[in-house]
Amino acid sequence: QKKKKKDEAEAAKPAYSKAFVDAYQPVDAALKAPGADAAALKPQVLALLPLAVSPDEQQALGGMIFNTGIGAKDPAMQLQGAEMMIASGKIAPAEAGRFNLVAFQLASGLQQHDKARNYLQRAIDLGYTAPNVTIDDLRMNMAESYFSEGRQPEGLAYLSDQIAKQKAAGQPVDVRWYRRGVAIAYTNEIVPQVYDFVAGWVTDYPSTESWRD
């Protein structure tokens, strides 16, 4: 039993090679020095990539790349770091949803929409929420991602599917899904979807006056 616990402790212990540590520490110190220039240090940070072999090394370097990207105001570098941390599998479960959402936001900003939606779906699957973020917000973001690409029919199909799932589960439907669906379908003259969204809105929110506008 003691040997088993010892083996488990060893397995859980972070794995860093001497080569990685020796190369990582000076760069980390340089980044943390007063007045450090993150942009100027980017080459040194990225030079560590071949040394990050173990998941623990990838998480550590991913964090360094992510933070350097923030300091250097480089969204592509931030995304690279976030992706590396996520791929390492070493992010704490409580933080995984947040980092997937961050990756979605960064990828969206870089117009990498398919990649962005993959990360957003992971955040949804992980049930990520925050004081100012609900699962319904994330699902709305998914539809908006399609709309931002001009893929209105796909965005509307996504909203329709989410509405159907909520109803099947006996859960209320976020009124914003109807409002946005009607607006997009009406503006782009997409029928019969516009009528489907209006009908669902009126049925679920019969006292709401705004749908008549």
Side-chain angles (χ1 to χ4, degrees):
Q1 190 69 24
K2 285 184 178 180
K3 184 179 185 302
K4 183 180 178 183
K5 286 185 177 179
K6 184 178 179 182
D7 289 344
E8 287 175 351
E10 286 296 320
K13 188 177 178 181
Y16 303 105
S17 70
K18 183 177 185 302
F20 177 80
V21 173
D22 288 348
Y24 180 95
Q25 287 181 336
V27 180
D28 186 49
L31 286 166
K32 292 176 178 175
D37 184 343
L41 289 167
K42 285 197 295 183
Q44 291 173 248
V45 173
L46 297 176
L48 298 173
L49 281 168
L51 297 173
V53 178
S54 76
D56 292 298
E57 291 166 349
Q58 290 164 1
Q59 184 199 17
L61 182 56
M64 177 183 279
I65 292 172
F66 179 74
N67 289 325
T68 302
I70 292 174
K73 296 181 172 58
D74 184 339
M77 190 174 190
Q78 291 177 56
L79 178 59
Q80 181 182 6
E83 289 189 293
M84 196 169 181
M85 284 190 285
I86 292 167
S88 76
K90 287 288 184 173
I91 294 178
E95 292 292 304
R98 181 172 71 86
F99 272 102
N100 275 282
L101 182 60
V102 167
F104 156 71
Q105 293 166 334
L106 290 167
S108 293
L110 294 166
Q111 305 301 307
Q112 298 176 22
H113 296 292
D114 285 336
K115 175 184 285 188
R117 283 188 288 271
N118 286 336
Y119 283 117
L120 178 58
Q121 187 58 54
R122 289 184 202 171
I124 292 170
D125 292 342
L126 289 165
Y128 176 72
T129 60
N132 59 339
V133 179
T134 67
I135 291 292
D136 283 354
D137 291 332
L138 300 185
R139 290 173 176 146
M140 190 74 240
N141 285 341
M142 184 72 80
E144 293 293 353
S145 177
Y146 286 111
F147 299 149
S148 70
E149 275 194 284
R151 295 165 64 175
Q152 280 79 8
E154 289 168 90
L156 291 173
Y158 178 83
L159 281 180
S160 294
D161 184 53
Q162 296 307 308
I163 289 169
K165 286 180 179 178
Q166 286 293 96
K167 286 180 172 291
Q171 298 296 317
V173 176
D174 191 323
V175 68
R176 295 174 301 167
W177 297 357
Y178 287 125
R179 185 180 295 118
R180 190 65 172 138
V182 168
I184 291 291
Y186 179 79
T187 301
N188 294 277
E189 300 180 348
I190 299 174
V191 292
Q193 287 91 328
V194 64
Y195 303 118
D196 294 336
F197 280 103
V198 169
W201 195 353
V202 174
T203 300
D204 285 3
Y205 294 90
S207 63
T208 302
E209 296 296 322
S210 57
W211 64 267
R212 297 190 179 91
D213 295 344

